Amino acid sequence: QQPVQSPQAVILREGEDAVINCSSSKALYSVHWYRQKHGEAPVFLMILLKGGEQKGHDKISASFNEKKQQSSLYLTASQLSYSGTYFCGTEAGGAGSYQLTFGKGTKLSVIP
Amino acid sequence: ETGVTQSPTHLIKTRGQQVTLRCSSQSGHNTVSWYQQALGQGPQFIFQYYREEENGRGNFPPRFSGLQFPNYSSELNVNALELDDSALYLCASRGGLAGGEQYFGPGTRLTVT
């Protein structure tokens, strides 16, 4: 089942913060976050594993609430380069098959 | 650069034809997944190969088939092309079946006329 992302779109000014949420109705093994710019392939940002710690690099971090099967991606002090569509991919696992199911994406636009 | 390559970059086919897309996984990665991404949508999982065996399939008809070779490269074959098959086809590789980082290739843009 496809995870649900919110918001669908957000516009930020440079330097502002944003939070993108991803929720699933299934018990999750991992959550993956990607950013995709127009006409390009999705670029891996980070992975959060069940039982793992909150991840982050530079000004982008993420958390995974296993009890609620929710993940959030935090972008602080946004830069123009952060613009793009953000996808979460969830991995439920079980029965020997692990595959990523992606949400519909959150379009982030950062303006000067 | 992720080390995952795909060919061709673009392809135009006629309805009813057959197409083969190719993917070379990143060095050391033994799992390859294929996705279809329509404009404005998230990637939709087609199937996954692990050590040359299909390991998981999404909601796609049997005319979508694949192969993985001993060097872990992979092919996606689509028979009897339909107009709705027009999309960006992405392959992604990871080093293992579960929990690992997955990296996408640049994609093949397929247009069916």
Side-chain angles (χ1 to χ4, degrees):
Chain A
Q1 193 143 2
Q2 189 176 39
V4 177
Q5 288 187 232
S6 63
Q8 289 183 313
V10 59
I11 300 174
L12 298 176
R13 291 199 177 276
E14 268 187 295
E16 290 183 336
D17 302 340
V19 180
I20 299 172
N21 299 303
C22 172
S23 64
S24 174
S25 59
K26 287 186 169 184
L28 298 177
Y29 178 78
S30 69
V31 180
H32 303 228
W33 286 96
Y34 291 82
R35 176 172 59 215
Q36 185 175 30
K37 293 184 182 284
H38 183 69
E40 299 179 6
V43 173
F44 173 82
L45 294 176
M46 63 189 74
I47 178 175
L48 298 106
L49 298 175
K50 180 180 175 180
E53 299 176 350
Q54 181 167 333
K55 291 282 190 73
H57 62 82
D58 198 12
K59 295 172 184 172
I60 300 177
S61 62
S63 62
F64 178 20
N65 185 324
E66 295 172 36
K67 289 183 180 178
K68 294 185 177 180
Q69 307 307 327
Q70 292 175 350
S71 179
S72 295
L73 185 72
Y74 306 94
L75 301 105
T76 58
S78 59
Q79 307 167 15
L80 295 175
S81 61
Y82 287 5
S83 293
T85 301
Y86 289 77
F87 293 100
C88 70
T90 57
E91 187 175 35
S97 176
Y98 293 82
Q99 62 198 45
L100 285 185
T101 303
F102 286 89
K104 292 186 176 181
T106 296
K107 185 173 182 179
L108 177 73
S109 301
V110 181
I111 58 176
Chain B
E1 291 287 322
T2 64
V4 182
T5 62
Q6 290 186 246
S7 62
T9 306
H10 296 89
L11 205 51
I12 300 174
K13 288 287 190 177
T14 304
R15 191 171 55 180
Q17 286 187 317
Q18 177 265 343
V19 69
T20 297
L21 310 182
R22 294 178 174 83
C23 170
S24 290
S25 60
Q26 182 166 310
S27 177
H29 284 186
N30 55 16
T31 303
V32 173
S33 299
W34 285 92
Y35 297 85
Q36 180 193 67
Q37 187 176 29
L39 211 57
Q41 300 295 316
Q44 297 294 307
F45 177 75
I46 303 175
F47 42 58
Q48 175 175 276
Y49 280 85
Y50 171 66
R51 293 183 176 176
E52 302 179 59
E53 296 284 333
E54 186 180 292
N55 181 272
R57 187 178 182 94
N59 190 26
F60 280 81
R63 59 189 185 85
F64 285 79
S65 63
L67 278 175
Q68 187 178 32
F69 301 99
N71 66 354
Y72 303 131
S73 65
S74 178
E75 285 183 356
L76 164 65
N77 299 290
V78 187
N79 293 322
L81 284 166
E82 300 177 0
L83 296 178
D84 284 349
D85 295 334
S86 295
L88 179 67
Y89 287 84
L90 297 161
C91 86
S93 75
R94 66 199 301 189
L97 196 56
E101 298 175 6
Q102 178 175 272
Y103 297 100
F104 283 94
T108 294
R109 173 71 62 186
L110 173 66
T111 303
V112 183
T113 62

